[in-house]
Amino acid sequence: MSAQIMDSVIIENNTYRITEVSTPSMMFKPSEYGLRPNMRCTACYRGYWCDYQIKDSNLFLKDFYMYNEDQKYPTLNGVDVLSEEV
């Protein structure tokens, strides 16, 4: 089994990998925005990963990485997708 790409959180310029979450409802869920990620490789079964950041005691989604077979990425909360070939 491949090691999975983990979500991360940035706290005061330090990056930490997230291995477990006690409150999953706090985490970003692509399906709630009509996004349907697809597995690209065995290192990313979910088809996506997230980088979060804590600023002023708030948790923010900083970066979101997703693979979609259809290559259709809608604008998300006013932010256009930056698409890169993988």
Side-chain angles (χ1 to χ4, degrees):
M1 174 185 243
S2 300
Q4 294 298 293
I5 299 171
M6 292 190 273
D7 292 347
S8 66
V9 63
I10 300 166
I11 305 170
E12 296 180 1
N13 295 323
N14 294 306
T15 301
Y16 302 92
R17 300 290 174 209
I18 300 171
T19 58
E20 186 175 347
V21 179
S22 61
T23 311
S25 61
M26 291 179 59
M27 309 311 282
F28 180 74
K29 294 175 190 64
S31 61
E32 292 179 0
Y33 294 87
L35 301 172
R36 298 173 199 254
N38 303 109
M39 182 181 84
R40 172 80 174 168
C41 65
T42 58
C44 190
Y45 285 119
R46 296 184 305 173
Y48 73 94
W49 70 92
C50 301
D51 292 333
Y52 299 93
Q53 185 168 23
I54 294 181
K55 283 174 116 176
D56 301 323
S57 300
N58 293 298
L59 180 66
F60 294 93
L61 177 63
K62 182 181 179 303
D63 294 305
F64 172 65
Y65 304 90
M66 180 182 100
Y67 175 73
N68 179 281
E69 290 175 348
D70 299 331
Q71 298 291 319
K72 295 178 183 173
Y73 303 102
T75 298
L76 184 61
N77 285 344
V79 178
D80 289 325
V81 171
L82 173 62
S83 182
E84 293 183 16
E85 275 296 314
V86 177

